[in-house]
Amino acid sequence: MKFTRNKMMSFIAVLVILVIFNVIAFMLPFNRHSGFWAGYIFSILSILLTAGVAFYSLSRESLKSKFYGVPLIFVVWPYLIAQLVFGFLEMMLQFIPFQYGIIINVILLGACLIGLIAVNISKEEIERIDEKVKKKVFYIKSLQSDVEVLIDKTSDEDSKNLLKELAETIQYSDPMSSPQLAIIENEISTKVVVLTEAVKEANADSTKTLCNELQHLFSERNQKCKI
């Protein structure tokens, strides 16, 4: 696993918190009663959990995945602060029955874990939808690129203008594809192949005809997309 700069900074931050907490816990004259150890153990657990979540969030490969992992950190840090505050109260105040302290510690931990699970499920669903959308818009992006390449391959000004208009039509067409559009999209793809050959052969009449046909096909496709 690659140890990045962000991971190193997170590790140092957690290490500093861990050291400060232990110095305070064992240098101050706390009475080492059962409540002290309950607060101490759950506080240490919260620090380690925060470190684990930070490492998990920063371990994703893509920048977008790391961005989607940020909400996990926003869930765990408030838990860390709340647990440290309550942990110190448990360690200082002897009159708090340790049974009640453990119950509150467990509730805080449980709320944090539920929040982390919910956020992680949402994050994975967003990433899944994002990947699905990326695949569906590839059709339009690919066609737009193919037509834009043809603009530079023709010297006829009329053909060049028609190709520019067609590229603009494709650019502003509904980017989402779907199985219901398969027939018309296959027809569009076929005509783009024929258009490519017409441009290579410098056939201005065929280029004009095909551009007009493709304009009509895209208009029909956009209407079906609205449906």
Side-chain angles (χ1 to χ4, degrees):
M1 182 176 66
K2 188 178 179 181
F3 208 74
T4 63
R5 180 176 178 275
N6 287 336
K7 289 181 184 177
M8 176 65 76
M9 297 300 292
S10 298
F11 176 78
I12 293 174
V14 171
L15 185 61
V16 169
I17 294 173
L18 196 60
V19 170
I20 292 174
F21 176 77
N22 278 279
V23 168
I24 295 173
F26 291 102
M27 292 302 292
L28 291 180
F30 291 136
N31 185 359
R32 307 295 190 267
H33 54 284
S34 55
F36 171 89
W37 291 111
Y40 177 81
I41 291 171
F42 276 95
S43 295
I44 291 294
L45 182 61
S46 69
I47 295 173
L48 296 178
L49 178 62
T50 302
V53 170
F55 268 65
Y56 171 76
S57 299
L58 296 173
S59 295
R60 311 310 294 269
E61 292 298 328
S62 67
L63 180 62
K64 187 174 289 186
S65 294
K66 290 179 181 178
F67 175 76
Y68 289 153
V70 168
L72 292 170
I73 298 175
F74 282 119
V75 170
V76 77
W77 272 99
Y79 162 67
L80 173 64
I81 295 170
Q83 178 58 59
L84 289 178
V85 170
F86 184 71
F88 275 120
L89 289 176
E90 284 183 280
M91 294 160 67
M92 289 188 298
L93 305 176
Q94 298 185 41
F95 62 84
I96 300 178
F98 80 94
Q99 296 93 336
Y100 294 112
I102 290 177
I103 291 173
I104 295 175
N105 288 325
V106 170
I107 290 174
L108 288 173
L109 177 60
C112 177
L113 292 176
I114 291 172
L116 289 174
I117 292 170
V119 170
N120 195 55
I121 291 173
S122 301
K123 178 179 68 66
E124 290 178 353
E125 181 64 14
I126 291 171
E127 289 179 337
R128 186 189 66 81
I129 293 173
D130 186 58
E131 187 63 28
K132 184 178 179 181
V133 169
K134 189 184 297 182
K135 291 178 180 178
K136 287 192 172 186
V137 301
F138 176 77
Y139 171 78
I140 284 294
K141 296 297 181 183
S142 178
L143 283 179
Q144 182 184 345
S145 176
D146 291 342
V147 173
E148 287 175 345
V149 168
L150 296 178
I151 296 173
D152 296 328
K153 290 186 176 181
T154 180
S155 57
D156 182 71
E157 284 301 319
D158 290 337
S159 297
K160 192 181 291 288
N161 291 332
L162 287 170
L163 289 169
K164 287 180 179 178
E165 291 176 4
L166 179 59
E168 186 175 343
T169 297
I170 298 173
Q171 179 181 354
Y172 294 106
S173 293
D174 193 316
M176 295 296 288
S177 182
S178 71
Q180 289 78 9
L181 301 173
I183 295 177
I184 191 169
E185 287 183 347
N186 287 337
E187 187 176 354
I188 289 173
S189 297
T190 300
K191 286 193 178 293
V192 169
V193 172
V194 178
L195 175 63
T196 301
E197 293 300 320
V199 171
K200 288 181 179 179
E201 296 170 0
N203 190 331
D205 292 335
S206 182
T207 299
K208 179 181 179 180
T209 300
L210 288 165
C211 283
N212 290 331
E213 290 177 356
L214 283 166
Q215 290 281 11
H216 289 300
L217 285 172
F218 271 104
S219 177
E220 182 182 348
R221 178 186 177 277
N222 289 337
Q223 289 297 323
K224 290 185 176 181
C225 282
K226 291 180 181 178
I227 295 174

